[in-house]
Every structure is written in structure tokens, then in C-alpha cells.
Amino acid sequence: MNSSMSLYNRRKIRNRKALKVKSFGKLRLSIFRSSKHIYGQIIDDKEGITVASASSLENNIKKQFKNCGNKKVASLVGKLIAEKATTKGIKNVVFDRGGYVYHGRVKNLAEAAREGGLIF
């Protein structure tokens, strides 16, 4: 019987493989979601560096909310990552949801990043 972690890793690998085929050298917006926080970072895979990042651990978000693992916080993180990307001149990215289902907090972060000016 497969454990939930091995199924997660299989979904993540399958998603990344599809992104490499479709990305054509674009930057990647990668999401990590834990039970308490959510993180987003824009990664340049050619050079292996993180260009911009945002998370629910940042001071202005952490002070506003007691529980940082909800949809409102995910939307704020999405807007914040979009702001940081546009200040660095980044518009087009590829959305890497990892092994997570495009639902709930992941969906809210993605929609807020689109509203903030990122195109994916």
C-alpha cells in the first residue's frame, strides 16, 4: 500500500516533468504549503537561484493574523509575490503547484498572483 507521502512525491515529479516540457525557459512560481503556513518563490531553473519569495512568515502578515494557514493569508502571499516580481520586471511565469491539488489555499494564492500582474 502506498503511503500518502509517496503519492504526493509521485504527483510532484509528474507535475514538474510536465512543466519542464511546457516552460520554454520561463521562471517557475513554486508553492509549498504546510498546515500552518504557505510559501511561494519564483525560481530561475537555468541558474539555480530564487529571484523573489514571499511567505506567511513575513512580519506584516504574521502580525495581522493569528492563524496563518487560511485562504485569506494565501491571497495576501499571492499579492505580495506578484508585487515583488513586478518590481524586478518579471511578468511571465509557470505555476508549479508541486504535488498539491489546485484547490483551497493553493488556488487562492494563484488567483491573487494573477490579479497582482503575473501571467501564467
Side-chain angles (χ1 to χ4, degrees), residues 56-93:
S56 59
L57 289 172
E58 298 196 15
N59 287 334
N60 55 355
I61 296 174
K62 201 171 183 183
K63 288 179 184 176
Q64 290 178 358
F65 296 94
K66 183 178 180 183
N67 179 14
C68 292
N70 57 27
K71 292 180 183 179
K72 291 179 185 177
V73 174
S75 296
L76 288 175
V77 171
K79 290 177 185 176
L80 188 61
I81 191 77
E83 287 176 13
K84 288 183 177 184
T86 52
T87 58
K88 294 189 177 188
I90 299 168
K91 288 284 185 188
N92 292 326
V93 296

Side-chain angles (χ1 to χ4, degrees), residues 31-49:
I31 302 299
F32 177 74
R33 171 179 65 87
S34 71
S35 61
K36 294 183 179 181
H37 297 285
I38 190 160
Y39 310 85
Q41 59 182 351
I42 297 177
I43 302 168
D44 184 2
D45 287 323
K46 287 183 180 177
E47 298 190 22
I49 58 170

Side-chain angles (χ1 to χ4, degrees), residues 95 97 100-104 106-111 114 120:
F95 185 68
R97 62 180 174 83
Y100 306 113
V101 178
Y102 187 78
H103 186 277
V106 175
K107 182 178 178 182
N108 281 14
L109 190 143
E111 289 175 352
R114 281 190 187 111
F120 54 89

